[in-house]
Each structure stands twice: as C-alpha cells, then as structure tokens.
Amino acid sequence: EQVTHGAFYQSGQSCISVQRLFVRDSLYEPFKNTLLAKVGSLKVGDPADPTTFIGPVIREKDAIRMKEWIDEALAKGAKLLCGGKQNGVMVEATILEGVPHDCKVFAEEVFGPVLCIEKYDGSNFKKVVDMVNESDFGLQAGVFTNDLNKAFYAFENIEAGGVVINSVPSIRVDAQPYGGVKASGLGREGIRYAIEDMTELRVMLLKNAGSIEAFQH
C-alpha cells in the first residue's frame, strides 16, 4: 500500500514519488502480484472527486512525453505489467518490469504515474545500493528492512539527501533539512535552513583592536 501511494499519488507528480523499485528476489513474485492488484483497483477520473486517485497530469505535452518514454522502454525489451496508455492529459498507472537502465523512464525524472520494478539478489545488499546510486538524481530514497545494519549501511552509502527507513521516500516534514544531491539541487528547505539561506553574513574588521599603544601619542 505504501508503494502504491508513493508511486501514484498526485498521478506521480511529486519530486519524491517512487519511480524505481528494487525488490528482494525471494519476495518479488508475491509482492508484484499484490502490487498489481492494488494498482488495478485505483480509481481514475476527475480529481475533484475525492474518491479519485489517478487524475490528469499537468499538460498534454507531458502526457505525450511520458507515453514516448514508456514506448522507448518497451522497444528496448521492458515488460508492461499494467497501464501504458495515454489519452489527452490522462496517463494510466503504469508498471514496467525489466527496464534497461539507460531508458529515459528509468534514468530521468518521469514526474508521472510510471513505476519501474526489478528484483535483486537478496544476498547482495551492497549491489542494490550501487544500483540505486546509478542515478544522476539523489533527493530521497526509501528502504524497507528489519536489519539495523542494512538500514545504517543504506543511510551511509545511498547518494541522496534523505533516506527513509521502512517507508517510501514520499514523505517530508518542515523541520527536516529537505533537499538533494547531484542533479537534485543545492541547499536545503526547512524552517531553520531557509532562515540560514536568507541570512546575509556580514563582518566588521577592527584594526589594532585591544591595542592601547596604537592610540597613545
């Protein structure tokens, strides 16, 4: 449920939505089936209707771009698990499997209702962290684990401004230093950090300060 929300809330139009998902191999098939059932139940339609979950994207131009990125991945061998269609400003909740990592839908920011999933070798947690770091972006990442060592390893090694343990990255609070690394920007949001960014540091230099002799004649 958290992954479904993180990938498709606001039709994926969030800078911290879930776009790439790596699932441990021993959990992959049952997780995938549960995810597909959940995504298939999402209501599509008018965003003014409070029961709607998938609404329009910001512009038809962007909807067309998303469809082109989906089609590129499919042409390069990705498998379409659900969705994939576009009509005007509406893009279906789409899940792709086995997407080559050089595809735009995997390597760039889709900013739409598209999720790429793949399995990883559960015995090699370091490798999946390396796969996460292949991105040019690094705003936030989410890691689900009951292993405290893996939680700390992820925090120390994932190249992102924030690492959320046991939840999706689609969460923030105003008090945190919210921001990213690499192509995800410079600086941090948050009350304290915004004040610091908007504060001009100034200096006064005093020549011979504390020297009595300098002023004796």
Side-chain angles (χ1 to χ4, degrees):
E1 187 157 339
Q2 290 188 56
V3 171
T4 302
H5 178 83
F8 301 112
Y9 81 108
Q10 298 172 182
S11 296
Q13 297 170 111
S14 167
C15 53
I16 46 177
S17 68
V18 179
Q19 183 175 327
R20 300 180 302 151
L21 180 65
F22 302 98
V23 182
R24 186 183 178 115
D25 49 6
S26 60
L27 303 173
Y28 186 78
E29 289 301 326
F31 176 86
K32 180 176 71 173
N33 293 335
T34 301
L35 177 65
L36 288 172
K38 182 66 177 176
V39 173
S41 69
L42 298 178
K43 182 176 179 179
V44 180
D46 184 354
D49 181 347
T51 64
T52 294
F53 199 86
I54 300 291
V57 297
I58 188 67
R59 296 176 299 187
E60 185 173 7
K61 174 183 176 182
D62 286 292
I64 294 170
R65 170 186 59 79
M66 294 170 200
K67 181 65 167 67
E68 290 174 347
W69 288 13
I70 292 169
D71 290 343
E72 178 204 27
L74 296 176
K76 289 187 175 182
K79 181 180 179 181
L80 181 67
L81 299 183
C82 69
K85 295 180 182 178
Q86 173 256 332
N87 182 18
V89 293
M90 301 297 294
V91 178
E92 292 181 341
T94 300
I95 300 179
L96 298 167
E97 181 181 56
V99 179
H101 292 187
D102 62 342
C103 290
K104 292 184 178 69
V105 77
F106 190 93
E108 300 185 25
E109 186 176 22
V110 179
F111 215 73
V114 183
L115 174 65
C116 302
I117 67 171
E118 65 179 82
K119 69 178 69 174
Y120 75 92
D121 180 357
S123 66
N124 195 342
F125 188 73
K126 290 183 179 181
K127 183 176 180 180
V128 74
V129 169
D130 291 340
M131 291 164 66
V132 171
N133 289 338
E134 289 176 1
S135 175
D136 290 333
F137 301 95
L139 186 49
Q140 288 197 162
V143 178
F144 288 86
T145 181
N146 58 6
D147 186 329
L148 194 59
N149 291 319
K150 288 180 178 178
F152 274 94
Y153 181 86
F155 175 68
E156 293 291 343
N157 291 277
I158 289 178
E159 297 167 357
V163 177
V164 184
I165 303 300
N166 288 330
S167 188
V168 292
S170 317
I171 184 174
R172 57 164 296 189
V173 293
D174 288 338
Q176 79 178 72
Y178 174 72
V181 299
K182 300 192 283 191
S184 288
L186 299 171
R188 294 293 182 266
E189 298 178 23
I191 299 169
R192 171 183 173 184
Y193 311 95
I195 292 173
E196 290 178 352
D197 283 346
M198 299 178 71
T199 298
E200 288 289 345
L201 295 178
R202 302 180 66 230
V203 62
M204 179 175 70
L205 303 178
L206 297 177
K207 183 179 180 181
N208 297 323
S211 175
I212 297 175
E213 293 78 10
F215 297 98
Q216 289 178 344
H217 299 284

